[in-house]
Amino acid sequence: MTSMVNSTASPIQDPEQEDLYGYFPTRYVCFIFVTLFGVSTAIHLAEAIYWRVSWLFATACFAGVSEVIGWSARLWSSYSPFAQDPYIMQLCVTIIAPSPLVAALFILFGRISERLGAQYGRLSPMWYSVIFLTCDIISLVTQGVGGGIAGSSIGNESEVNLGGNIMLAGIIFQLTSITIFVILMMEYFIRYFMDKPLRQPKKGLSSEEAFASARGVLTKKLQLLIVSLLAMTLFLVIRSVYRMIELIDGFEGEIIQTEIWFNIFDGAMVVCAIYTLNVLHPGWLLETVPLHDISPGGSPRASLVSLNPKAKGSEEEQ
């Protein structure tokens, strides 16, 4: 990479040093993103503990910590733009950091479909999580391996290209799995709103089975949670499309060497996604959700079922 664009500093370059980014990372921008991700991660940690939502530790919290590490490496590069270690670190970490946040989408939709009724989906709530989380892990590992190869092979064009292609394969796989997930999710919501389940309850079900197959009530809290799910999905899809185009263009391409595009379509999109989950948090939006109790005759009647351990404990005390 030889072009120097979006530069905010002018360190003297040794003729033997390679311009790794194609620009000098803007220091104050890196500070802003480190701060934003740090604050969001701290809030997510507190929310996960307070609301006892343990799956957010391995998803939102992990994604936030990874983003802090990645942007800290870019901040390091703003001081030492020709050092390879921070460049390799940010290359490997920023490519995989949003993957745990994508995993949160899959788990969140599984929770929503449990509340509204599993009969409207092609898959059970559990299988939505299992299948798409597996895809997300495959994507994360693939991108991480590719980033490691590309970052550790600076100066070896063939190895760098190999690493870039592996990263590209991981991004394409992730984007494909998200696209399939979105199609299945939209079909689910359409079927729910039209009340056209894919599976009808069988006769002679136990009360527990009948309860699980009932049509859940779409409360205002669940509506907000669905808005959160759709907004996060949009932000992360935009980010994935950008990274795919960036890698197709190559490490010597204009896209990867233009800092503003990375700041907007990677950093800002992930910030929007992670803060959306901070504000529209499943801890309080799934605290208590009206579902349906099932009478012996199979007719539904409304009831309030606590879905949050903290809320359940307070109700028992009352």
Side-chain angles (χ1 to χ4, degrees):
M1 300 181 184
T2 57
S3 63
M4 302 293 290
V5 295
N6 300 321
S7 173
T8 58
S10 300
I12 298 175
Q13 182 174 0
D14 188 307
E16 296 183 358
Q17 290 178 315
E18 183 177 1
D19 177 14
L20 301 172
Y21 290 90
Y23 56 85
F24 299 135
T26 306
R27 191 167 301 163
Y28 78 87
V29 171
C30 297
F31 268 122
I32 289 172
F33 278 112
V34 169
T35 302
L36 286 173
F37 283 118
V39 170
S40 177
T41 303
I43 294 173
H44 270 300
L45 181 61
E47 288 176 326
I49 293 172
Y50 181 80
W51 295 110
R52 302 179 189 177
V53 187
S54 58
W55 55 269
L56 286 174
F57 292 120
T59 54
C61 293
F62 184 37
V65 170
S66 300
E67 290 287 355
V68 169
I69 294 172
W71 281 94
S72 294
R74 290 178 67 86
L75 179 60
W76 180 6
S77 288
S78 73
Y79 290 95
S80 304
F82 307 115
Q84 292 188 6
D85 288 346
Y87 174 77
I88 294 171
M89 185 187 301
Q90 68 85 33
L91 178 66
C92 295
V93 177
T94 59
I95 192 71
I96 66 174
S99 293
L101 205 55
V102 173
L105 297 178
F106 305 146
I107 297 174
L108 190 56
F109 176 67
R111 298 294 191 272
I112 291 173
S113 65
E114 283 178 348
R115 275 62 171 178
L116 296 182
Q119 67 273 22
Y120 298 101
R122 295 278 170 185
L123 304 172
S124 69
M126 181 190 73
W127 280 110
Y128 279 116
S129 297
V130 169
I131 292 175
F132 289 106
L133 283 175
T134 301
C135 291
D136 198 51
I137 292 171
I138 293 172
S139 169
L140 186 151
V141 172
T142 304
Q143 293 174 63
V145 169
I149 293 174
S152 61
S153 304
I154 296 173
N156 186 332
E157 184 176 353
S158 62
E159 289 296 311
V160 169
N161 290 335
L162 173 63
N165 289 333
I166 293 174
M167 292 167 67
L168 176 59
I171 283 287
I172 291 175
F173 183 78
Q174 184 179 60
L175 187 57
T176 301
S177 64
I178 293 176
T179 301
I180 295 172
F181 167 74
V182 168
I183 292 171
L184 293 175
M185 178 175 63
M186 296 312 296
E187 182 196 22
Y188 176 91
F189 288 132
I190 290 171
R191 286 187 174 276
Y192 173 83
F193 287 120
M194 297 179 67
D195 197 15
K196 292 187 176 181
L198 283 164
R199 297 173 296 279
Q200 296 293 339
K202 298 178 181 179
K203 294 182 179 180
L205 293 177
S206 66
S207 58
E208 182 178 349
E209 291 172 328
F211 184 92
S213 64
R215 186 176 191 269
V217 177
L218 184 61
T219 64
K220 289 184 178 180
K221 285 188 174 183
L222 271 181
Q223 290 175 25
L224 288 175
L225 195 59
I226 291 171
V227 169
S228 172
L229 176 66
L230 296 177
M232 288 175 61
T233 301
L234 176 62
F235 294 137
L236 293 174
V237 166
I238 291 173
R239 181 262 175 189
S240 294
V241 170
Y242 161 74
R243 293 308 294 256
M244 181 183 69
I245 296 172
E246 174 195 66
L247 290 171
I248 290 174
D249 194 43
F251 285 98
E252 299 292 332
E254 179 183 357
I255 296 175
I256 203 171
Q257 295 191 17
T258 304
E259 182 184 23
I260 186 75
W261 293 348
F262 182 83
N263 293 342
I264 293 173
F265 293 113
D266 188 286
M269 290 300 104
V270 182
V271 163
C272 289
I274 201 167
Y275 273 94
T276 297
L277 191 59
N278 277 131
V279 176
L280 300 176
H281 195 275
W284 69 276
L285 293 177
L286 289 179
E287 181 178 359
T288 53
V289 179
L291 293 177
H292 289 96
D293 196 0
I294 304 298
S295 68
S299 60
R301 59 177 182 265
S303 66
L304 263 182
V305 179
S306 176
L307 297 172
N308 183 281
K310 186 177 182 64
K312 183 177 181 180
S314 63
E315 287 174 4
E316 289 175 351
E317 292 174 1
Q318 293 175 357

PDB file of all heavy atoms in Angstrom, residues 243-263:
ATOM      1  N   ARG A 243     -17.574  -4.939   4.287  1.00  0.00           N
ATOM      2  CA  ARG A 243     -16.343  -5.708   4.420  1.00  0.00           C
ATOM      3  C   ARG A 243     -16.160  -6.672   3.248  1.00  0.00           C
ATOM      4  O   ARG A 243     -15.034  -6.934   2.815  1.00  0.00           O
ATOM      5  CB  ARG A 243     -16.334  -6.478   5.744  1.00  0.00           C
ATOM      6  CG  ARG A 243     -16.270  -5.627   6.990  1.00  0.00           C
ATOM      7  CD  ARG A 243     -15.146  -4.606   6.991  1.00  0.00           C
ATOM      8  NE  ARG A 243     -13.829  -5.164   7.015  1.00  0.00           N
ATOM      9  CZ  ARG A 243     -13.024  -5.204   8.098  1.00  0.00           C
ATOM     10  NH1 ARG A 243     -13.448  -4.713   9.249  1.00  0.00           N
ATOM     11  NH2 ARG A 243     -11.806  -5.692   8.019  1.00  0.00           N
ATOM     12  N   MET A 244     -17.254  -7.191   2.720  1.00  0.00           N
ATOM     13  CA  MET A 244     -17.154  -8.069   1.552  1.00  0.00           C
ATOM     14  C   MET A 244     -16.622  -7.299   0.343  1.00  0.00           C
ATOM     15  O   MET A 244     -15.700  -7.759  -0.341  1.00  0.00           O
ATOM     16  CB  MET A 244     -18.523  -8.673   1.235  1.00  0.00           C
ATOM     17  CG  MET A 244     -18.507  -9.616   0.034  1.00  0.00           C
ATOM     18  SD  MET A 244     -20.161 -10.258  -0.367  1.00  0.00           S
ATOM     19  CE  MET A 244     -20.951  -8.759  -0.970  1.00  0.00           C
ATOM     20  N   ILE A 245     -17.195  -6.120   0.078  1.00  0.00           N
ATOM     21  CA  ILE A 245     -16.744  -5.303  -1.049  1.00  0.00           C
ATOM     22  C   ILE A 245     -15.287  -4.882  -0.846  1.00  0.00           C
ATOM     23  O   ILE A 245     -14.480  -4.888  -1.789  1.00  0.00           O
ATOM     24  CB  ILE A 245     -17.649  -4.073  -1.206  1.00  0.00           C
ATOM     25  CG1 ILE A 245     -19.074  -4.502  -1.572  1.00  0.00           C
ATOM     26  CG2 ILE A 245     -17.102  -3.125  -2.272  1.00  0.00           C
ATOM     27  CD1 ILE A 245     -20.080  -3.374  -1.561  1.00  0.00           C
ATOM     28  N   GLU A 246     -14.943  -4.538   0.384  1.00  0.00           N
ATOM     29  CA  GLU A 246     -13.579  -4.128   0.708  1.00  0.00           C
ATOM     30  C   GLU A 246     -12.573  -5.230   0.377  1.00  0.00           C
ATOM     31  O   GLU A 246     -11.534  -4.982  -0.250  1.00  0.00           O
ATOM     32  CB  GLU A 246     -13.500  -3.794   2.195  1.00  0.00           C
ATOM     33  CG  GLU A 246     -12.105  -3.484   2.714  1.00  0.00           C
ATOM     34  CD  GLU A 246     -12.047  -3.520   4.222  1.00  0.00           C
ATOM     35  OE1 GLU A 246     -12.238  -4.617   4.807  1.00  0.00           O
ATOM     36  OE2 GLU A 246     -11.809  -2.462   4.819  1.00  0.00           O
ATOM     37  N   LEU A 247     -12.882  -6.449   0.757  1.00  0.00           N
ATOM     38  CA  LEU A 247     -11.953  -7.559   0.524  1.00  0.00           C
ATOM     39  C   LEU A 247     -11.930  -7.979  -0.938  1.00  0.00           C
ATOM     40  O   LEU A 247     -10.897  -8.432  -1.440  1.00  0.00           O
ATOM     41  CB  LEU A 247     -12.323  -8.734   1.429  1.00  0.00           C
ATOM     42  CG  LEU A 247     -12.052  -8.503   2.924  1.00  0.00           C
ATOM     43  CD1 LEU A 247     -12.651  -9.624   3.765  1.00  0.00           C
ATOM     44  CD2 LEU A 247     -10.554  -8.394   3.188  1.00  0.00           C
ATOM     45  N   ILE A 248     -13.061  -7.853  -1.629  1.00  0.00           N
ATOM     46  CA  ILE A 248     -13.065  -8.136  -3.066  1.00  0.00           C
ATOM     47  C   ILE A 248     -12.155  -7.142  -3.784  1.00  0.00           C
ATOM     48  O   ILE A 248     -11.420  -7.503  -4.711  1.00  0.00           O
ATOM     49  CB  ILE A 248     -14.502  -8.057  -3.632  1.00  0.00           C
ATOM     50  CG1 ILE A 248     -15.336  -9.245  -3.123  1.00  0.00           C
ATOM     51  CG2 ILE A 248     -14.486  -8.045  -5.159  1.00  0.00           C
ATOM     52  CD1 ILE A 248     -16.798  -9.179  -3.510  1.00  0.00           C
ATOM     53  N   ASP A 249     -12.177  -5.900  -3.337  1.00  0.00           N
ATOM     54  CA  ASP A 249     -11.328  -4.852  -3.929  1.00  0.00           C
ATOM     55  C   ASP A 249      -9.848  -5.097  -3.641  1.00  0.00           C
ATOM     56  O   ASP A 249      -8.981  -4.635  -4.381  1.00  0.00           O
ATOM     57  CB  ASP A 249     -11.764  -3.495  -3.387  1.00  0.00           C
ATOM     58  CG  ASP A 249     -11.186  -2.333  -4.171  1.00  0.00           C
ATOM     59  OD1 ASP A 249     -11.184  -2.404  -5.417  1.00  0.00           O
ATOM     60  OD2 ASP A 249     -10.738  -1.358  -3.553  1.00  0.00           O
ATOM     61  N   GLY A 250      -9.551  -5.823  -2.554  1.00  0.00           N
ATOM     62  CA  GLY A 250      -8.175  -6.200  -2.262  1.00  0.00           C
ATOM     63  C   GLY A 250      -7.458  -5.252  -1.332  1.00  0.00           C
ATOM     64  O   GLY A 250      -7.891  -4.123  -1.088  1.00  0.00           O
ATOM     65  N   PHE A 251      -6.314  -5.704  -0.801  1.00  0.00           N
ATOM     66  CA  PHE A 251      -5.546  -4.922   0.155  1.00  0.00           C
ATOM     67  C   PHE A 251      -4.875  -3.709  -0.487  1.00  0.00           C
ATOM     68  O   PHE A 251      -4.445  -2.807   0.224  1.00  0.00           O
ATOM     69  CB  PHE A 251      -4.492  -5.803   0.838  1.00  0.00           C
ATOM     70  CG  PHE A 251      -5.063  -6.730   1.868  1.00  0.00           C
ATOM     71  CD1 PHE A 251      -5.330  -8.053   1.559  1.00  0.00           C
ATOM     72  CD2 PHE A 251      -5.355  -6.271   3.139  1.00  0.00           C
ATOM     73  CE1 PHE A 251      -5.861  -8.901   2.513  1.00  0.00           C
ATOM     74  CE2 PHE A 251      -5.891  -7.112   4.092  1.00  0.00           C
ATOM     75  CZ  PHE A 251      -6.152  -8.437   3.787  1.00  0.00           C
ATOM     76  N   GLU A 252      -4.762  -3.713  -1.786  1.00  0.00           N
ATOM     77  CA  GLU A 252      -4.201  -2.559  -2.489  1.00  0.00           C
ATOM     78  C   GLU A 252      -5.301  -1.679  -3.085  1.00  0.00           C
ATOM     79  O   GLU A 252      -5.011  -0.712  -3.788  1.00  0.00           O
ATOM     80  CB  GLU A 252      -3.264  -3.024  -3.618  1.00  0.00           C
ATOM     81  CG  GLU A 252      -2.069  -3.825  -3.150  1.00  0.00           C
ATOM     82  CD  GLU A 252      -1.081  -2.980  -2.358  1.00  0.00           C
ATOM     83  OE1 GLU A 252      -1.036  -1.756  -2.612  1.00  0.00           O
ATOM     84  OE2 GLU A 252      -0.375  -3.523  -1.492  1.00  0.00           O
ATOM     85  N   GLY A 253      -6.560  -2.005  -2.816  1.00  0.00           N
ATOM     86  CA  GLY A 253      -7.673  -1.274  -3.409  1.00  0.00           C
ATOM     87  C   GLY A 253      -7.961   0.039  -2.711  1.00  0.00           C
ATOM     88  O   GLY A 253      -7.530   0.301  -1.589  1.00  0.00           O
ATOM     89  N   GLU A 254      -8.759   0.850  -3.374  1.00  0.00           N
ATOM     90  CA  GLU A 254      -9.094   2.178  -2.851  1.00  0.00           C
ATOM     91  C   GLU A 254      -9.965   2.081  -1.602  1.00  0.00           C
ATOM     92  O   GLU A 254      -9.845   2.901  -0.687  1.00  0.00           O
ATOM     93  CB  GLU A 254      -9.820   2.986  -3.930  1.00  0.00           C
ATOM     94  CG  GLU A 254     -10.237   4.379  -3.476  1.00  0.00           C
ATOM     95  CD  GLU A 254     -11.009   5.144  -4.530  1.00  0.00           C
ATOM     96  OE1 GLU A 254     -11.186   4.608  -5.654  1.00  0.00           O
ATOM     97  OE2 GLU A 254     -11.438   6.268  -4.239  1.00  0.00           O
ATOM     98  N   ILE A 255     -10.844   1.077  -1.546  1.00  0.00           N
ATOM     99  CA  ILE A 255     -11.799   0.996  -0.435  1.00  0.00           C
ATOM    100  C   ILE A 255     -11.082   0.781   0.888  1.00  0.00           C
ATOM    101  O   ILE A 255     -11.330   1.485   1.872  1.00  0.00           O
ATOM    102  CB  ILE A 255     -12.819  -0.126  -0.699  1.00  0.00           C
ATOM    103  CG1 ILE A 255     -13.659   0.204  -1.933  1.00  0.00           C
ATOM    104  CG2 ILE A 255     -13.721  -0.326   0.517  1.00  0.00           C
ATOM    105  CD1 ILE A 255     -14.600  -0.897  -2.347  1.00  0.00           C
ATOM    106  N   ILE A 256     -10.193  -0.210   0.937  1.00  0.00           N
ATOM    107  CA  ILE A 256      -9.509  -0.511   2.199  1.00  0.00           C
ATOM    108  C   ILE A 256      -8.535   0.598   2.591  1.00  0.00           C
ATOM    109  O   ILE A 256      -8.167   0.734   3.754  1.00  0.00           O
ATOM    110  CB  ILE A 256      -8.777  -1.878   2.099  1.00  0.00           C
ATOM    111  CG1 ILE A 256      -8.553  -2.458   3.503  1.00  0.00           C
ATOM    112  CG2 ILE A 256      -7.471  -1.745   1.337  1.00  0.00           C
ATOM    113  CD1 ILE A 256      -8.052  -3.889   3.492  1.00  0.00           C
ATOM    114  N   GLN A 257      -8.119   1.401   1.618  1.00  0.00           N
ATOM    115  CA  GLN A 257      -7.174   2.481   1.877  1.00  0.00           C
ATOM    116  C   GLN A 257      -7.864   3.835   2.110  1.00  0.00           C
ATOM    117  O   GLN A 257      -7.199   4.868   2.155  1.00  0.00           O
ATOM    118  CB  GLN A 257      -6.179   2.599   0.715  1.00  0.00           C
ATOM    119  CG  GLN A 257      -5.279   1.381   0.581  1.00  0.00           C
ATOM    120  CD  GLN A 257      -4.130   1.586  -0.385  1.00  0.00           C
ATOM    121  OE1 GLN A 257      -3.800   2.714  -0.729  1.00  0.00           O
ATOM    122  NE2 GLN A 257      -3.521   0.503  -0.818  1.00  0.00           N
ATOM    123  N   THR A 258      -9.186   3.813   2.249  1.00  0.00           N
ATOM    124  CA  THR A 258      -9.930   5.053   2.533  1.00  0.00           C
ATOM    125  C   THR A 258     -10.510   4.944   3.939  1.00  0.00           C
ATOM    126  O   THR A 258     -11.460   4.187   4.185  1.00  0.00           O
ATOM    127  CB  THR A 258     -11.053   5.268   1.504  1.00  0.00           C
ATOM    128  OG1 THR A 258     -10.480   5.258   0.187  1.00  0.00           O
ATOM    129  CG2 THR A 258     -11.758   6.586   1.743  1.00  0.00           C
ATOM    130  N   GLU A 259      -9.953   5.688   4.868  1.00  0.00           N
ATOM    131  CA  GLU A 259     -10.283   5.554   6.283  1.00  0.00           C
ATOM    132  C   GLU A 259     -11.734   5.879   6.595  1.00  0.00           C
ATOM    133  O   GLU A 259     -12.377   5.193   7.393  1.00  0.00           O
ATOM    134  CB  GLU A 259      -9.366   6.454   7.119  1.00  0.00           C
ATOM    135  CG  GLU A 259      -9.620   6.322   8.618  1.00  0.00           C
ATOM    136  CD  GLU A 259      -8.788   7.288   9.428  1.00  0.00           C
ATOM    137  OE1 GLU A 259      -8.370   8.321   8.856  1.00  0.00           O
ATOM    138  OE2 GLU A 259      -8.561   7.029  10.618  1.00  0.00           O
ATOM    139  N   ILE A 260     -12.269   6.918   5.970  1.00  0.00           N
ATOM    140  CA  ILE A 260     -13.621   7.374   6.289  1.00  0.00           C
ATOM    141  C   ILE A 260     -14.653   6.291   6.038  1.00  0.00           C
ATOM    142  O   ILE A 260     -15.630   6.161   6.786  1.00  0.00           O
ATOM    143  CB  ILE A 260     -13.970   8.662   5.480  1.00  0.00           C
ATOM    144  CG1 ILE A 260     -15.311   9.225   5.919  1.00  0.00           C
ATOM    145  CG2 ILE A 260     -13.964   8.398   3.985  1.00  0.00           C
ATOM    146  CD1 ILE A 260     -15.303   9.915   7.231  1.00  0.00           C
ATOM    147  N   TRP A 261     -14.441   5.480   5.014  1.00  0.00           N
ATOM    148  CA  TRP A 261     -15.392   4.402   4.723  1.00  0.00           C
ATOM    149  C   TRP A 261     -15.358   3.336   5.819  1.00  0.00           C
ATOM    150  O   TRP A 261     -16.399   2.814   6.208  1.00  0.00           O
ATOM    151  CB  TRP A 261     -15.101   3.795   3.350  1.00  0.00           C
ATOM    152  CG  TRP A 261     -15.366   4.753   2.226  1.00  0.00           C
ATOM    153  CD1 TRP A 261     -16.030   5.949   2.305  1.00  0.00           C
ATOM    154  CD2 TRP A 261     -14.963   4.617   0.864  1.00  0.00           C
ATOM    155  NE1 TRP A 261     -16.077   6.564   1.074  1.00  0.00           N
ATOM    156  CE2 TRP A 261     -15.426   5.769   0.171  1.00  0.00           C
ATOM    157  CE3 TRP A 261     -14.254   3.659   0.144  1.00  0.00           C
ATOM    158  CZ2 TRP A 261     -15.213   5.976  -1.184  1.00  0.00           C
ATOM    159  CZ3 TRP A 261     -14.036   3.860  -1.213  1.00  0.00           C
ATOM    160  CH2 TRP A 261     -14.511   4.999  -1.861  1.00  0.00           C
ATOM    161  N   PHE A 262     -14.167   3.031   6.291  1.00  0.00           N
ATOM    162  CA  PHE A 262     -14.059   2.058   7.383  1.00  0.00           C
ATOM    163  C   PHE A 262     -14.726   2.602   8.644  1.00  0.00           C
ATOM    164  O   PHE A 262     -15.445   1.879   9.345  1.00  0.00           O
ATOM    165  CB  PHE A 262     -12.586   1.743   7.665  1.00  0.00           C
ATOM    166  CG  PHE A 262     -12.385   0.725   8.747  1.00  0.00           C
ATOM    167  CD1 PHE A 262     -12.454  -0.636   8.469  1.00  0.00           C
ATOM    168  CD2 PHE A 262     -12.144   1.118  10.064  1.00  0.00           C
ATOM    169  CE1 PHE A 262     -12.288  -1.573   9.478  1.00  0.00           C
ATOM    170  CE2 PHE A 262     -11.974   0.187  11.071  1.00  0.00           C
ATOM    171  CZ  PHE A 262     -12.039  -1.170  10.775  1.00  0.00           C
ATOM    172  N   ASN A 263     -14.488   3.875   8.933  1.00  0.00           N
ATOM    173  CA  ASN A 263     -15.074   4.470  10.140  1.00  0.00           C
ATOM    174  C   ASN A 263     -16.599   4.454  10.102  1.00  0.00           C
ATOM    175  O   ASN A 263     -17.256   4.198  11.118  1.00  0.00           O
ATOM    176  CB  ASN A 263     -14.588   5.915  10.298  1.00  0.00           C
ATOM    177  CG  ASN A 263     -13.102   5.999  10.583  1.00  0.00           C
ATOM    178  OD1 ASN A 263     -12.472   5.018  10.992  1.00  0.00           O
ATOM    179  ND2 ASN A 263     -12.524   7.168  10.349  1.00  0.00           N
TER     180      ASN A 263
END
